[in-house]
Amino acid sequence: MTTDSTALLDRYAHAVLGVFGRPALVLDRGEGCWVWDVDGKRYLDLLGGIAVNALGHNHPAVVSAVSKQAGEALHVSNFFTTRAQIELAERLLRLAQAPEGSAVFFTNSGTESIEAAIKLARRTGRPGLVALEGSFHGRSTGALALTHKAAYRQPFAPLLPGVAFVPPGDIDALRAAVDESTGAVVLEPIQGEAGVRPLDTAYLEAAREITRAAGALLVVDEIQTGIGRTGRWFDHQRADIVPDAMTLAKGLGGGVPIGALVTFGPENSGRLSPGQHGTTFGGNPLAAATALAVLETIETDGLLATAEAVGEHFAGRVLALGHPLVDHVRGSGLLRAIALTAPVSAIVADSARDAGFIVNPVAPDAIRIAPPLNLTIAEIDLFVDALPGLLDAAKESA
Ligand code: PLP
């Protein structure tokens, strides 16, 4: 790291609230799946802003949507609407295969989408919520109440009461936890922050059956797994279920902040009436036009198939390395974790960065990738080719 980066990081430490710790790099610009730091060093971005840069950096469709919209109207308030907002809502409903009477509420982030879902659940008249151990749903206080990790929760107790946590994958435990006081069960089809841990399709279907029988809502948090990330538009679509609500953010805007709550069917869409919820920026023309360009490009460029093929290729090649530090590869499409046999992910991620690859040590024994959906096989092969050396070095220093 040169003086340029070091001086900037010192200024960061003096000016930016320290909740993220010291950043690893000061980034300057990106192009496709590559980013450059202020010292001119190039990295293959296999994290994509944590599943946000669905089309990579500087994609012409995103650049053109942002600049065109900036030249028209950036913001109009929710007293008014725009063509882009309407078209985006319609498109999301089509991709979600949502029944007639479904609707979209736009937000600016994942945590806000979860807050909207909590308010939706409250409108059932039932105060209870059920979430899964290992869950991550966001940092605002409602979403935090649904987030399992003690280190995130405890400093802010007491949180929203009435949240029960059950072990993921345990159908009997879920059945026992859901009763007539449960407003909603909230779950991620793949628990991203827990280390990319997929729920079985049978569990998703059981969760649907259990919530329906109890009169509770099923909310699927697709903030990390949605928008084509797993090779499907939304990961719950691998199961034969229609949820009551779905939360989105991250990849939807390709880097421009936007999130959404999708309510399925007229009963759910009718739960929040005029005045009961709102946001200043949610669904503004800049975010909506950009999100439309992202969805359009994913469709026309066939990026669901690319995500699936490149993700399968990656998993197959990593396993075929037969390295003693690799236990297995989890996840779908381009949301993957290499599960390690020893807690050395931070060492691997640091040396990967030195070698020009950005990956994420999501758990002590797991390395996550969530790259742009247009990553090529040639690009991912660069990382897989470097992996044995990185793992060998980590083994020695462990
Ligand atoms: N839900 C899931 C599944 C997430 O992965 C995240 C962020 O990582 C969130 C919610 C919170 O989203 P945001 O950071 O945009 O508030």
Side-chain angles (χ1 to χ4, degrees), residues 109-111 114 136-138 188 193 221 223-224 249-250:
S109 66
T111 206
I114 294 287
F136 183 87
H137 296 293
E188 303 155 80
E193 299 307 299
D221 179 348
I223 288 164
Q224 189 158 155
K250 286 194 179 280

Side-chain angles (χ1 to χ4, degrees), residues 330-382:
R330 293 192 287 263
S332 306
L334 284 173
L335 180 60
R336 298 277 179 169
I338 305 173
L340 303 173
T341 53
V344 293
S345 68
I347 302 173
V348 177
D350 282 353
S351 52
R353 196 170 55 248
D354 291 344
F357 302 100
I358 296 179
V359 296
N360 169 240
V362 65
D365 62 353
I367 298 166
R368 170 174 54 175
I369 66 161
L373 303 180
N374 49 12
L375 180 78
T376 64
I377 288 200
E379 286 168 331
I380 194 67
D381 277 349
L382 293 173

Side-chain angles (χ1 to χ4, degrees), residues 304-320:
L304 301 191
T306 305
E308 170 150 20
V310 178
E312 282 301 306
H313 172 86
F314 169 74
R317 273 214 63 203
V318 171
L319 281 180

